[in-house]
Amino acid sequence: MTGDLVRAIVQSMKMSTDLEKKFQEQITLEFAASLTYRQLAIEADEQDLPGIAAWLRHQADEEIVHANKFIQHVSDRDNHAAIGTITAPAVAPGLTVLEIFEAALAHEQKVSEAIRELYRSADKEGDYDSRPLLNWFVDEQIEEEATVSEIIGRVRMIGEDGSGLLRLDSELGARPAKGTEADAE
Ligand SMILES: [Fe+2]
């Protein structure tokens, strides 16, 4: 009787195989996002913009934190968190600063849509256990897109003004740490 009860509880907590697969894809996407930011940081570094490069590396570390959040959730649900194939970041060499941030925004928009899709799948299955986590990610994506959009607006305003770019570089390099793995740097 107790065994049956325990089994019933475990079964209700566990997510479906289909949802598990979608979470695994999201874990892979977060790691891929980290590598994209890491590559964009290299591009900024090569243009002697250490502040922007540091900001992008910080973003890269945040994506690892995101992946870890999903891994933790899947493991806590008694499912299996597998990391899938990660392809090389689609970042062309020699991007302008504007193009670097436009690439970052495009990637964030892709991640936002993937989170919405995950939300739809969870909702369709009545998987309420994943809602708090997915709500956190919906909020996080709104914030990420808004932040990158604001930087793009400022880069456009700066245009060819070198001193403006240097000001933005030092400002982004000094951004306060948010308690991620990046703090260890
Ligand atoms: Fe993320």
Side-chain angles (χ1 to χ4, degrees):
M1 188 68 187
T2 313
D4 285 349
L5 187 63
V6 169
R7 208 157 27 244
I9 290 167
V10 168
Q11 277 169 1
S12 68
M13 187 178 78
K14 194 166 179 159
M15 65 176 77
S16 72
T17 311
D18 188 50
L19 200 57
E20 178 188 74
K21 189 170 161 279
K22 291 192 165 102
F23 269 83
Q24 289 174 349
E25 285 165 6
Q26 189 63 38
I27 289 165
T28 307
L29 186 60
E30 299 291 346
F31 280 120
S34 178
L35 293 185
T36 296
Y37 272 117
R38 197 62 191 76
Q39 185 66 52
L40 291 172
I42 292 168
E43 303 303 323
D45 238 339
E46 288 182 359
Q47 293 178 51
D48 301 324
L49 294 165
I52 289 174
W55 189 90
L56 291 162
R57 279 199 303 275
H58 195 289
Q59 290 291 110
D61 289 345
E62 271 197 11
E63 298 304 340
I64 303 282
V65 174
H66 292 171
N68 287 339
K69 271 181 187 280
F70 279 115
I71 289 170
Q72 188 69 49
H73 180 77
V74 172
S75 298
D76 284 351
R77 298 280 300 274
D78 207 21
N79 286 84
H80 182 60
I83 301 165
T85 306
I86 297 164
T87 49
V91 175
L95 296 182
T96 64
V97 175
L98 182 60
E99 285 167 343
I100 286 173
F101 285 105
E102 282 174 344
L105 181 61
H107 203 82
E108 289 295 351
Q109 286 166 338
K110 184 180 161 189
V111 171
S112 298
E113 186 47 33
I115 303 255
R116 280 183 216 112
E117 192 48 41
L118 197 52
Y119 208 117
R120 281 182 209 112
S121 302
D123 249 22
K124 214 162 74 190
E125 292 190 17
D127 190 286
Y128 302 113
D129 293 19
S130 60
R131 263 207 194 169
L133 179 79
L134 293 175
N135 281 335
W136 185 89
F137 273 101
V138 168
D139 273 348
E140 177 72 6
Q141 284 309 119
I142 290 171
E143 195 189 308
E144 296 286 42
E145 282 192 42
T147 303
V148 179
S149 293
E150 191 189 300
I151 295 171
I152 287 174
R154 294 179 61 193
V155 171
R156 286 213 173 99
M157 263 188 272
I158 287 165
E160 299 296 310
D161 173 19
S163 62
L165 185 57
L166 289 178
R167 262 200 309 279
L168 181 69
D169 185 64
S170 63
E171 191 189 314
L172 290 181
R175 92 169 180 179
K178 267 174 72 185
T180 68
E181 294 183 1
D183 300 355
E185 284 185 355

